[in-house]
């Protein structure tokens, strides 16, 4: 009875308690308990991998009595796919948005067939595994698809070799019942199906640190007790090594032309029983999968029984192991998942926890390929959209989210707290960022409703000019492609430093073109002093006294103060007296030192940023606030960042707006070294605006969408997800363009307002501090002349103005 009550409560089961489940016949109770355990580990998300199936060879030394995949050599038919054929399949998958290349093949056919040995020799290989390694490496290099390899029984050395070219590997245990290998059994004559050798491969994979897939094939003659024994063997191996990333519970399908063509197939109820028992034995953290094409009428029931994954589904290749069972379309799989109250999400061939610890689990040459496809939770991007790039779609894109079945009390409670203006918990904010499908749409709609309630239907923008006065920087931030060393002309252009005359010329030109603001930031030139920044301010105000100067990051402020030997608040007052009107909330990146230690280890800390911005507010200077996200960070870091901004605003009230800045990866040094993701997904980029609206309400009323990062289509979408501002026209955008952004350097007022109208909203030209733009400047902004050529004098060793060396010399 104790064991019975243990599983009902979702408790961890010892071997004796697990074996006792073999006598449990209350399927409904088992499924309810398993679903609770699954929900504790995976919540509302059910995953699927978009894959291509590459059957490298269908020859095998084994003769399983239920298999139609493997067959003897046929006259005139090659034993292996050629490299061109392999790449043709992989490229077809890449074109339609697949992430995984599933290599499936027979087990060591060269040990049985001379024709295989001859063909391998002609290909320059002695073994099937050697050729497989070459082909997996070719697919990874040429297409970026992540190889998942099912190559049969292998030793540790073989697994380590394939680890160099794959994200994950797998081998179904199928059964630990030795009797099924005896004469008359389904595995008779198949040496690689002996339980001991398959379990040895499972152990070797653990020692080799390979993220591994395994599982059971049910209905081939095993008993329920024997299924549990196999599950316990898998659990024990995983306990030793931590390498089993998913367990498949696959149902036997009888196939014509095999010795088991007349064998009875397991019923749906038997399949559900096994799934539920597997979940109860393996616990909440293990991914449990059932192939959807083998049980098409039982999809909702399988979710109800405790699965959290559908395995790999291909939009371009059949299931070569079960060719009679076509894959479901992703759209129909999404509908079936929604009917069970869950959301379908794409995943990678390697699961998030192994990507998080990639130094342990992934080869250093494979890990960058995985990172490029990952979102902030370690799953896959839903679409082909990338920050800073032109809009593009795949031939088979992620399906629109179907309406969810039932209520979502957890999400409703979080949204209710946000609407009430109360601070959300870190975990609740992270939950909002992890919203997918219909749940993400609910978050967007809630943020849009809160925006409407808070600031109405008006969308604002400011006519401004960026003036980046130098790209010389003493810091080496891993995300920055803008800054240059003094003599590094090969890094996307030469190092420059503007003189005061050019800054004044650009200021006057901006005023004549309708600007009410100049936004000025630059690299931290090692010879700049606080006097440099003061001189820049004075020059701008001398050129156009009416111009609002929005300038200097927290890092620049601290650098200037340090060089003058004055406290930060005192230097801020000096800047204000010289003409500074407000500060951009940049240099924030992610306000969490765990992330900053990776992307900008020599930059200011989280506390230093908060102290500097808070000091600006206390001397009467308003600031914006930003987040630069989508690199090495995760949802918990984003949540902490928002909470720190909220608490700062509650204390000082000096933040005018929140500006999400999705990471532009293309030219970022850390990305080029394989150390970051390729920016956030489109879902994540939009959620940052929506969650920002919800988490910062009512303290920061303005949420800004960046056209530089999102493009016109992206800002229209952001305006429907909580944003009410689309930033500045910029005139001279250079930082994002240096990072590889393709959305241009200016977004003039007519295009700004067209995008706003496209979102069904009302346009308003504003000042930096959200006042009404001067009418004369508005008129000028709609009829601006083309910009004159810029002058960017080469930077020297010493600053042109306010030289630190001169002050110290």
């Amino acid at each position: 009875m104790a064991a019975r009550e243990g599983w009902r409560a979702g408790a961890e089961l010892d071997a004796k308690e697990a074996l006792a489940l073999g006598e449990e016949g209350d399927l409904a109770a088992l499924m309810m308990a398993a679903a609770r355990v699954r929900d504790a580990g995976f919540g509302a998300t059910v995953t699927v991998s978009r894959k291509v199936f590459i059957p490298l060879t269908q020859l095998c030394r084994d003769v399983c009595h239920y298999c139609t995949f493997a067959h003897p050599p046929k006259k005139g038919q090659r034993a292996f796919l050629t490299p061109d054929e392999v790449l043709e399949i992989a490229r077809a998958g890449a074109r339609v948005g697949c992430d995984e290349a599933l290599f499936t093949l027979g087990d060591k056919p060269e040990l049985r067939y001379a024709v295989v040995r001859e063909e391998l020799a002609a290909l320059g290989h002695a073994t099937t595994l050697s050729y497989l390694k070459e082909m997996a490496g070719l697919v990874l290099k040429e297409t970026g698809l992540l190889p998942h390899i099912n190559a049969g029984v292998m030793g540790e050395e073989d697994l380590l070799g394939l680890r160099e070219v794959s994200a994950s590997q797998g081998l179904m245990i199928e059964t630990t019942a030795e009797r099924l290998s005896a004469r008359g059994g389904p595995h008779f004559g198949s040496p690689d199906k002996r339980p001991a050798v398959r379990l040895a491969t499972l152990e070797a994979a653990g020692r080799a640190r390979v993220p591994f897939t395994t599982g059971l094939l049910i209905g081939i003659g095993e008993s329920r007790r024997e299924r549990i024994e196999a599950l316990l063997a898998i659990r024990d191996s995983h306990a030793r090594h931590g390498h089993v990333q998913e367990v498949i519970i696959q149902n036997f399908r009888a196939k014509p032309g095999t010795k088991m063509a007349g064998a009875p197939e397991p019923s749906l109820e038997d399949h559900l029983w096994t799934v539920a028992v597997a979940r109860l034995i393996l616990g909440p953290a293990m991914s449990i999968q059932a192939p959807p094409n083998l049980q098409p009428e039982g999809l909702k029931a399988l979710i109800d029984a405790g699965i959290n994954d559908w395995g790999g589904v291909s939009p371009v290749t059949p299931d070569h192991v079960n060719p009679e069972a076509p894959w479901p379309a992703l759209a129909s799989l999404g509908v079936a998942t929604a009917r069970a109250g869950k959301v379908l999400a794409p995943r990678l061939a390697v699961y998030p926890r192994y990507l998080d610890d990639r130094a342990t689990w992934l080869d250093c040459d494979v890990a960058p390929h995985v990172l490029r496809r990952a979102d902030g939770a370690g799953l896959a991007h839903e679409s082909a959209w990338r920050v800073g790039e032109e809009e593009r779609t795949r031939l088979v894109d992620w399906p629109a989210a179907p309406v969810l079945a039932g209520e979502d009390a957890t999400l409703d409670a979080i949204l209710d707290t946000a609407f009430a203006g109360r601070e959300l918990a870190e975990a609740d904010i992270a939950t909002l960022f992890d919203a997918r499908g219909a749940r993400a749409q609910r978050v967007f709609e809630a943020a849009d409703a809160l925006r409407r309630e808070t600031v109405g239907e008006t969308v604002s923008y400011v006519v401004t000019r960026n003036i980046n006065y130098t790209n010389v920087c003493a810091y080496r931030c891993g995300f920055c492609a803008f800054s240059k060393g003094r003599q590094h002309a090969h890094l996307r252009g030469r190092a420059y430093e503007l003189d005061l005359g050019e800054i004044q010329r650009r200021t006057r030109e901006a005023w004549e073109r309708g600007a009410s603001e100049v936004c000025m930031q630059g690299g931290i030139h090692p010879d700049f002093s606080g006097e440099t920044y003061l001189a820049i301010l004075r020059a701008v105000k001398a050129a156009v006294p009416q111009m609002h100067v929005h300038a200097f990051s927290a890092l620049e402020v601290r650098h200037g103060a340090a060089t003058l030997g004055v406290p930060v608040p005192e230097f801020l007052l000096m800047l204000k007296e010289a003409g500074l009107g407000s500060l951009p909330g940049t240099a924030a990146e992610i306000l969490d030192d765990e992330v900053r230690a990776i992307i900008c280890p020599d930059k200011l800390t989280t506390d230093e940023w908060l102290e500097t911005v808070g000091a600006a507010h206390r001397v009467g200077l308003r600031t914006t606030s930003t987040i630069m996200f989508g690199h090495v960070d995760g949802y918990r870091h984003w949540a902490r960042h928002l909470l720190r901004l909220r608490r700062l605003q509650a204390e000082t009230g000096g933040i005018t707006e929140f500006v999400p800045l999705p990471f532009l990866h293309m030219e970022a040094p850390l990305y080029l070294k394989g150390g970051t993701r390729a920016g956030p997904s489109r879902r994540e980029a939009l959620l940052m605006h929506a969650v920002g609206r919800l988490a910062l309400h009512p303290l920061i009323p303005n949420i800004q969408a960046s056209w530089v990062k999102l493009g016109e289509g992206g800002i229209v979408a952001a305006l429907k997800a909580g944003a009410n501002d689309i930033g500045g026209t910029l005139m001279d955008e250079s930082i994002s363009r240096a990072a590889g952004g393709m959305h241009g350097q200016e977004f003039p007022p007519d295009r700004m307002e067209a995008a706003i109208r496209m979102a069904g909203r009302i346009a308003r030209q504003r000042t930096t501090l959200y006042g009404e733009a001067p009418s004369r400047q508005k008129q000028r902004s709609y009829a601006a002349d083309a910009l004159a050529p810029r002058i960017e004098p080469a930077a020297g060793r010493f600053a042109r103005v306010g030289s630190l060396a001169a002050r110290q010399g």
Side-chain angles (χ1 to χ4, degrees), residues 316-536:
V316 293
T317 55
D319 180 352
H320 290 279
V321 174
N322 299 284
E324 77 287 352
W327 301 113
L330 288 174
S332 63
L333 196 59
V335 169
T337 304
R339 285 175 180 157
K342 304 297 180 185
V343 174
L344 187 66
R347 66 161 171 85
L348 303 173
V350 61
Y351 277 76
R353 64 181 177 272
Y354 299 96
L355 179 56
D356 288 345
D357 189 16
R358 54 191 171 275
T360 299
W361 293 102
L362 293 175
D363 183 87
C364 61
D365 291 330
V366 174
H369 292 277
V370 182
L371 272 178
R372 287 170 193 152
R373 292 179 173 272
D375 69 7
L379 299 178
H381 284 230
E382 297 91 343
S383 72
W385 183 92
R386 290 294 184 273
V387 178
E389 294 184 0
E390 297 297 331
E391 296 275 353
R392 56 195 170 106
T393 58
R394 294 163 169 157
L395 296 177
V396 180
D397 219 332
W398 193 245
V403 176
L404 283 172
E407 298 180 354
D408 191 330
T410 300
L411 185 57
D412 287 344
I414 296 172
L415 295 176
D416 286 346
T417 300
F419 269 73
R422 298 194 300 272
E423 181 176 295
L424 295 174
E426 178 184 314
D428 289 341
I429 298 174
T431 295
L432 294 178
F433 281 124
D434 202 30
R436 298 168 188 275
R439 282 181 168 80
Q441 188 59 39
R442 287 190 61 194
V443 175
F444 298 147
E445 291 170 358
D448 194 45
L450 184 57
R451 180 272 309 160
R452 190 178 303 112
E453 177 183 301
T454 304
V455 295
E457 297 296 333
T458 300
V459 175
S460 54
Y461 69 95
V462 63
V463 179
T464 182
R465 181 171 196 170
N466 272 9
I467 301 178
N468 302 120
Y469 36 80
T470 186
N471 61 355
V472 175
C473 190
Y475 291 82
R476 294 293 178 264
C477 300
F479 57 83
C480 182
F482 174 72
S483 67
K484 311 290 184 293
R486 281 190 295 268
Q487 302 302 323
H488 289 72
H490 64 291
L491 295 176
R492 295 183 64 85
R494 65 179 184 173
Y496 71 83
E497 180 194 349
L498 303 186
D499 58 35
L500 294 182
E502 174 63 8
I503 291 173
Q504 289 183 313
R505 187 197 67 77
R506 294 190 191 188
T507 300
R508 284 190 291 266
E509 185 179 38
W511 183 257
E512 291 163 3
R513 299 180 88 245
S516 59
E517 168 195 295
V518 287
C519 178
M520 300 197 299
Q521 297 177 91
I524 308 299
H525 192 305
D527 194 46
F528 275 13
S529 72
E531 289 296 339
T532 307
Y533 302 115
L534 292 168
I536 290 171

Side-chain angles (χ1 to χ4, degrees), residues 466-793:
N466 272 9
I467 301 178
N468 302 120
Y469 36 80
T470 186
N471 61 355
V472 175
C473 190
Y475 291 82
R476 294 293 178 264
C477 300
F479 57 83
C480 182
F482 174 72
S483 67
K484 311 290 184 293
R486 281 190 295 268
Q487 302 302 323
H488 289 72
H490 64 291
L491 295 176
R492 295 183 64 85
R494 65 179 184 173
Y496 71 83
E497 180 194 349
L498 303 186
D499 58 35
L500 294 182
E502 174 63 8
I503 291 173
Q504 289 183 313
R505 187 197 67 77
R506 294 190 191 188
T507 300
R508 284 190 291 266
E509 185 179 38
W511 183 257
E512 291 163 3
R513 299 180 88 245
S516 59
E517 168 195 295
V518 287
C519 178
M520 300 197 299
Q521 297 177 91
I524 308 299
H525 192 305
D527 194 46
F528 275 13
S529 72
E531 289 296 339
T532 307
Y533 302 115
L534 292 168
I536 290 171
L537 288 171
R538 293 177 186 127
V540 169
K541 299 303 280 189
V544 182
Q546 309 97 311
M547 187 70 83
H548 182 99
V549 185
H550 183 66
F552 311 138
S553 69
L555 184 60
E556 291 171 290
V557 170
R558 295 185 75 87
H559 175 75
T563 58
L564 296 183
V566 300
V568 165
E570 183 177 333
F571 184 57
L572 284 163
L573 281 172
M574 294 167 67
L575 293 172
K576 185 179 179 183
E577 290 168 4
L580 182 62
S582 58
L583 289 83
T586 48
E589 280 71 69
I590 297 291
L591 294 175
D592 190 281
D593 288 337
E594 180 182 320
V595 174
R596 301 180 79 81
I598 300 171
I599 64 171
C600 51
D602 58 347
K603 208 169 184 178
L604 74 176
T605 65
T606 294
D607 285 345
E608 287 170 341
W609 188 92
L610 292 168
E611 289 167 3
T612 305
V613 173
H617 298 164
R618 293 184 186 93
V619 302
L621 290 166
R622 307 290 295 278
T623 75
T624 66
S625 61
T626 65
I627 185 172
M628 193 271 291
F629 63 104
H631 32 81
V632 302
D633 45 350
Y635 300 158
R636 70 184 186 278
H637 303 117
W638 302 355
R640 293 170 192 167
H641 184 105
L642 290 177
L643 287 171
R644 285 167 176 147
L645 291 182
R646 181 185 176 94
R647 291 163 188 168
L648 175 63
Q649 181 74 341
E651 179 185 347
T652 67
I655 297 174
T656 55
E657 69 224 63
F658 172 60
V659 187
L661 299 173
F663 171 57
L664 275 165
H665 64 283
M666 299 81 148
E667 298 293 334
L670 193 55
Y671 173 79
L672 295 174
K673 294 176 183 177
T676 75
R677 305 194 301 278
S681 69
R682 186 177 191 274
R683 174 189 66 85
E684 291 170 325
L686 295 178
L687 277 172
M688 184 59 76
H689 297 79
V691 178
R693 168 68 64 191
L694 294 162
L696 299 173
H697 175 68
L699 300 180
I700 302 178
N702 299 305
I703 308 297
Q704 183 182 120
S706 169
W707 63 265
V708 174
K709 314 293 185 181
L710 303 178
E712 290 186 51
I715 61 173
V716 170
L719 289 175
K720 297 177 180 178
N724 69 298
D725 186 84
I726 54 175
T729 56
L730 300 187
M731 300 189 195
D732 266 330
E733 200 295 311
S734 55
I735 294 175
S736 294
R737 283 185 295 123
M742 299 170 62
H743 292 310
Q745 67 181 46
E746 182 174 15
F747 203 46
D750 58 336
R751 285 179 58 199
M752 284 272 192
E753 297 189 6
I756 292 167
R757 287 193 298 272
M758 194 181 303
R761 306 276 281 284
I762 302 165
R764 169 179 171 257
Q765 195 176 123
R766 64 168 172 86
T767 64
T768 306
L769 300 181
Y770 285 80
E772 285 295 325
S775 58
R776 176 60 176 147
Q777 291 305 95
K778 284 185 185 180
Q779 293 170 12
R780 286 173 164 172
S781 71
Y782 294 118
D785 294 331
L787 288 167
R790 295 177 302 174
I791 300 170
E792 293 183 343

